Amino acid sequence: MSDPRRGVTILGSTGSIGRNTVELIEAAPDLYRVEALVANSSTELLADQARRLRAGLAVVADESRLPDLRERLAGSGIETAGGAAAVVEAAARPADWVMAAIVGAAGLAPTLAAARRGAVVALANKECLVCAGQLMMAEVAAHGATLLPVDSEHSAIFQVFETDQRDQVEKIILTASGGPFRRSSLDEMAAVTPEQAVAHPNWSMGAKISVDSASMMNKGLELIEAHHLFSMTEERIDIVVHPQSVIHSLVAYGDGSVLAQLGSPDMRTPIAYALGWPRRIRAPSPRLDLAAIGTLTFESPDPVRFPALRLARRALQTGGAAPTVLNAANEVAVQAFLSRTLSFLGIARLVEATLDAMGAMTIGNLDDVMAADAWARAHAQAAIRAGKAH
Ligand code: NAD
Ligand code: MG
């Protein structure tokens, strides 16, 4: 008899989103069969997850770690593989549901491979929509794949967006926590350390997205993500700072109604929504106690201290390769900030300088995306080396 369980693959299983996904899947062994798990280099956790979930395949992107992974999984019957091509092959294996939770543009090729197989793709990896949104959406449509947003804001919008009344949707409103520097002065922000930037007030996340949240580039990336997921033009996407992170986002309709999704700030809720879809399943997230919270507040984002929002809007308006360049320059800048070769405010400056320097580049296929991405990385890295970015 064939296995009635749903086949699932997790790309980026050792990360913050990946670990939460593993937790939900582990709690329902009768429902899910794990086809493949993919990580960058953390073989100890990857092997442990693979054994616990009885995965068919475990892949480590950093090929130098493959011997270690093999040793850890010896005698388990679990297949192992290593390298970037093996990551894409893992994503292309037959699974009904694929969690795309690799961080950065590195997740693009495997996520595309899953989409091209017509899978249900739970998308956490927002960078792949930012750097190749049109291509990704076209591949999803061409192969009958389903893209389910995992980002809490986009999951919220997805839940309250009445797709059969799209002509009545006036706006979507993305909420932003404002990050750890919501109340900091520019002088204070000039001196922040990586430790301060990754200490998010409401959410526990990987290092890159934590820095993005602190600079609000995360909201800029999410603006571009929302544009592609919901076919909304840039001027119909608003951003409001909501420090309590209880309302995850909203959709405003022509009759004046505004629909929102609320919950405690816990990624297990949007992950569970995508895992159970089209049904809801239980998640162990803390329940929302509105009386205990008492007050929900809202404010406009400060464009002076958080220029990343303007840069993301500019990239979306410019179109073509601009969002790809924005994303790649930001990835380089965040990495440089984390390794203390770029200041916190230097992140947005470097992204802006890279956008300023970009010439005409058309985006027609994946090679074009990779070329624009590579150009932006090289340009941003050269600026850091030359001491032009600070
Ligand atoms: P993370 O850094 O905690 O985890 C990243 C995962 O990707 C790890 O498993 C790592 O091993 C893997 N990985 C990294 N580079 C890889 C490569 N080249 N090949 C294969 N695997 C690779 O990051 P995270 O916080 O879990 O975020 C993952 C993605 O989800 C990001 O795109 C982020 O923006 C998005 N996201 C995260 C959250 C959150 O709460 N953490 C919320 C919304 C969206
Ligand atoms: Mg988000």
Side-chain angles (χ1 to χ4, degrees):
M1 213 182 84
S2 70
D3 192 334
R5 296 174 301 169
R6 209 167 168 212
V8 302
T9 284
I10 307 174
L11 308 172
S13 65
T14 57
S16 169
I17 293 288
R19 280 180 274 120
N20 280 314
T21 309
V22 166
E23 181 191 330
L24 291 170
I25 288 172
E26 208 172 9
D30 302 343
L31 299 181
Y32 308 107
R33 168 185 62 78
V34 176
E35 180 73 35
L37 297 178
V38 171
N40 190 31
S41 59
S42 318
T43 43
E44 186 176 354
L45 178 56
L46 175 62
D48 177 52
Q49 291 176 331
R51 281 182 185 273
R52 281 179 3 228
L53 294 170
R54 299 175 185 280
L57 167 71
V59 178
V60 61
D62 176 351
E63 216 163 348
S64 70
R65 306 285 297 146
L66 181 57
D68 181 69
L69 181 66
R70 283 212 176 108
E71 200 173 305
R72 290 177 187 279
L73 288 175
S76 67
I78 298 166
E79 271 182 73
T80 54
V87 171
V88 175
E89 279 165 33
R93 299 239 307 204
D96 307 296
W97 188 89
V98 177
M99 167 55 82
I102 291 173
V103 57
L108 175 59
T111 306
L112 270 176
R116 285 180 178 143
R117 217 173 25 70
V120 175
V121 179
L123 188 81
N125 180 205
K126 66 192 82 181
E127 294 92 345
C128 68
L129 269 189
V130 175
C131 76
Q134 270 153 355
L135 191 69
M136 176 72 71
M137 297 311 287
E139 294 286 339
V140 164
H143 296 92
T146 303
L147 209 50
L148 299 174
V150 170
D151 218 344
S152 56
E153 297 76 3
H154 306 73
S155 175
I157 294 166
F158 187 85
Q159 292 180 52
V160 296
F161 196 110
E162 297 178 3
T163 44
D164 55 340
Q165 302 197 61
R166 147 172 303 284
D167 58 324
Q168 286 301 322
V169 173
E170 281 186 345
K171 269 188 174 174
I172 58 185
I173 303 157
L174 294 173
T175 53
S177 69
F181 310 130
R182 184 171 60 91
R183 296 234 175 277
S184 305
S185 68
L186 266 179
D187 282 348
E188 287 164 342
M189 287 168 79
V192 303
T193 62
E195 290 74 19
Q196 290 169 316
V198 298
H200 196 277
N202 304 346
W203 297 93
S204 155
M205 311 179 285
K208 196 257 174 184
I209 184 176
S210 297
V211 175
D212 284 344
S213 299
S215 69
M216 289 195 77
M217 182 59 88
N218 183 50
K219 215 47 58 179
L221 301 179
E222 290 184 355
L223 172 96
I224 300 173
E225 182 186 14
H227 159 77
H228 291 296
L229 285 172
F230 305 108
S231 295
M232 295 291 285
T233 50
E234 176 269 318
E235 67 279 1
R236 295 205 322 179
I237 308 173
D238 283 358
I239 292 169
V240 65
V241 174
H242 165 46
Q244 296 80 21
S245 298
V246 165
I247 296 182
H248 295 308
S249 279
L250 316 90
V251 177
Y253 291 90
D255 62 0
S257 291
V258 180
L259 302 192
Q261 184 261 0
L262 287 70
S264 56
D266 186 321
M267 286 308 292
R268 290 175 298 186
T269 294
I271 295 169
Y273 183 81
L275 185 58
W277 183 89
R279 315 249 339 136
R280 286 185 188 272
I281 58 174
R282 287 187 62 81
S285 321
R287 282 4 188 188
L288 197 58
D289 183 344
L290 286 172
I293 294 164
T295 311
L296 298 181
T297 61
F298 305 90
E299 61 199 48
S300 293
D302 177 0
V304 177
R305 289 179 305 129
F306 298 101
L309 296 173
R310 168 177 56 79
L311 299 176
R313 287 197 186 275
R314 168 182 161 186
L316 199 44
Q317 282 162 353
T318 307
T324 317
V325 167
L326 171 101
N327 179 66
N330 182 58
E331 286 192 33
V332 169
V334 170
Q335 208 46 55
F337 168 67
L338 287 171
S339 55
R340 296 181 160 78
T341 50
L342 184 66
S343 71
F344 181 71
L345 295 178
I347 297 172
R349 282 198 292 261
L350 182 59
V351 172
E352 182 154 31
T354 313
L355 282 172
D356 287 344
M358 87 178 248
M361 286 186 269
T362 47
I363 295 281
N365 54 36
L366 186 58
D367 288 344
D368 298 338
V369 171
M370 299 320 281
D373 178 278
W375 174 83
R377 280 172 206 270
H379 191 275
Q381 269 150 1
I384 293 169
R385 274 197 308 273
K388 285 188 204 149
H390 43 85

